């Protein structure tokens, strides 16, 4: 199985990584093109293009000015340990064993507006760039145009290498839009996580994001390979709800 996750806006480049092993992003040469476009932006134009505050625009302007490839070890960090935020609170990569982290390196991929797609041990530099950013480039008007073919081909190749029976999509809609599902060698399964509120099951963003990370870690720990096994997920109070589920969208509820 191959698992897809979204990245996170919150980063941690201060804490030491659990492991020393690191790899280089598959599309680092393509990332250079995007980084160069961003280096040409002023803080004001970054603020407008990215829809962020003045302080965040200043921060990311400085980050892009300092961005270089290949990445120096000082100041860079493996993606699985650098990303924080709701999904990664659920993933808890620091609690995975060395063997489980090796499984993650083979089975987990993180989609990225700057890097396209990342393996857990791929070193990254601090950045912020949403996949939905309307940044004109050599392939079109936005990052979807730039990354879609590259990312889809990478995902398809890894699925074939893993003998994946399905792609476990735990990424957000914004990020999964850069993947052409019709070009993949196996179906896409995208679980939904719902909370009971006022007598109805609803998706609540914060909890759903954390649950995606929790499921990713559970799949890695238990070497899950089938959709039947996937429905046995029962972490953090969630249970599979067959009546709300479809083959491609298994629903897990709690409350």
């Amino acid at each position: 199985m191959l698992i897809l996750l979204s990245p996170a806006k919150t980063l941690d480049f201060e804490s030491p990584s659990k492991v020393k092993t690191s790899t280089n992003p598959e599309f680092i040469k393509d990332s250079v093109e995007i980084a160069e476009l961003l280096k040409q932006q002023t803080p004001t134009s970054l603020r407008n293009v990215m829809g962020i505050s003045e302080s965040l625009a200043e921060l990311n302007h400085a980050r892009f000015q300092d961005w270089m490839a290949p990445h120096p070890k000082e100041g860079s960090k493996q993606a699985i340990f650098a990303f924080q935020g709701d999904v990664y609170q659920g993933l808890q990569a620091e609690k995975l064993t060395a063997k489980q982290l090796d499984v993650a390196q083979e089975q987990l991929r993180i989609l990225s507006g700057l890097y396209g797609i990342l393996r857990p041990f791929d070193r990254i530099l601090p950045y912020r760039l949403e996949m939905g950013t309307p940044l004109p480039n050599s392939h079109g008007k936005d990052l979807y145009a730039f990354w879609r073919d590259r990312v889809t081909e990478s995902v398809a190749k890894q699925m074939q290498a893993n003998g994946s029976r399905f792609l476990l999509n735990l990424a957000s809609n914004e990020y999964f839009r850069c993947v052409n599902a019709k070009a993949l060698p196996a179906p896409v399964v995208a679980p939904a996580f719902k909370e009971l509120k006022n007598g109805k099951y609803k998706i609540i963003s914060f909890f759903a994001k954390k649950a995606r990370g929790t499921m990713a870690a559970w799949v890695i720990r238990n070497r899950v390979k089938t959709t039947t096994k996937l429905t046995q997920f029962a972490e953090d109070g969630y249970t599979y709800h067959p009546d709300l589920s479809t083959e491609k969208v298994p629903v897990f509820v709690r409350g």
Side-chain angles (χ1 to χ4, degrees):
M1 181 197 305
L2 192 68
I3 309 164
L4 290 186
L5 286 181
S6 299
K9 297 174 184 176
T10 306
L11 304 171
D12 176 10
F13 280 80
E14 303 301 323
S15 304
S17 297
K18 182 177 180 178
V19 298
K20 294 183 178 180
T21 303
S22 65
T23 48
N24 295 316
E26 179 179 1
F27 298 119
I28 189 65
K29 291 182 179 179
D30 299 299
S31 299
V32 170
E33 180 178 337
I34 298 300
E36 287 301 319
L37 290 174
L38 293 163
K39 284 184 179 183
Q40 297 170 19
Q41 303 282 331
T42 65
T44 299
S45 60
L46 275 182
R47 181 181 182 184
N48 294 331
V49 168
M50 298 174 68
I52 54 179
S53 67
E54 183 176 348
S55 59
L56 282 174
E58 293 282 356
L59 172 63
N60 284 283
H61 178 262
R63 285 172 170 173
F64 289 127
Q65 296 306 309
D66 293 339
W67 198 93
M68 64 180 71
H71 295 339
K73 283 197 173 182
E74 185 176 352
S76 64
K77 193 174 183 180
Q78 300 98 323
I80 198 171
F81 299 114
F83 289 125
Q84 300 296 307
D86 303 336
V87 172
Y88 296 86
Q89 288 178 23
L91 182 65
Q92 297 187 74
E94 69 281 357
K95 293 187 178 181
L96 296 175
T97 66
K99 284 188 176 181
Q100 289 165 351
L101 286 168
D102 287 340
V103 172
Q105 179 74 353
E106 293 300 317
Q107 294 190 346
L108 179 66
R109 294 294 180 269
I110 303 167
L111 301 173
S112 165
L114 181 58
Y115 294 95
I117 193 165
L118 294 162
R119 293 168 295 178
F121 291 162
D122 285 351
R123 281 194 171 272
I124 63 172
L125 288 169
Y127 81 98
R128 176 168 175 160
L129 184 64
E130 301 298 306
M131 186 64 79
T133 302
L135 183 69
N137 57 77
S138 61
H139 285 70
K141 64 180 181 180
D142 55 27
L143 294 175
Y144 293 116
F146 188 85
W147 288 121
R148 185 172 286 113
D149 289 346
R150 295 175 174 89
V151 169
T152 299
E153 182 178 359
S154 178
V155 170
K157 284 183 176 179
Q158 191 59 39
M159 289 178 70
Q160 291 172 335
N162 287 351
S164 300
R165 301 180 189 180
F166 62 97
L167 174 70
L168 181 59
N169 176 28
L170 294 171
S172 66
N173 291 334
E174 175 191 351
Y175 279 89
F176 190 69
R177 277 183 59 198
C178 76
V179 180
N180 179 5
K182 294 180 179 179
L184 301 180
V188 176
V189 175
F193 302 92
K194 299 185 177 184
E195 315 293 322
L196 183 62
K197 188 173 183 180
N198 299 324
K200 294 183 179 181
Y201 287 113
K202 299 181 179 180
I203 294 176
I204 298 177
S205 181
F206 167 77
F207 296 120
K209 288 179 181 179
K210 187 175 180 181
R212 290 173 193 153
T214 301
M215 174 173 275
W218 177 81
V219 167
I220 290 165
R221 289 196 307 268
N222 292 281
R223 304 299 295 269
V224 176
K225 297 180 180 180
T226 67
T227 53
T228 300
K229 178 69 174 178
L230 187 70
T231 61
Q232 297 175 20
F233 175 76
E235 302 288 298
D236 292 346
Y238 286 100
T239 57
Y240 174 64
H241 197 307
D243 294 338
L244 296 178
S245 300
T246 65
E247 186 176 354
K248 293 186 177 180
V249 185
V251 176
F252 298 85
V253 301
R254 68 177 179 180

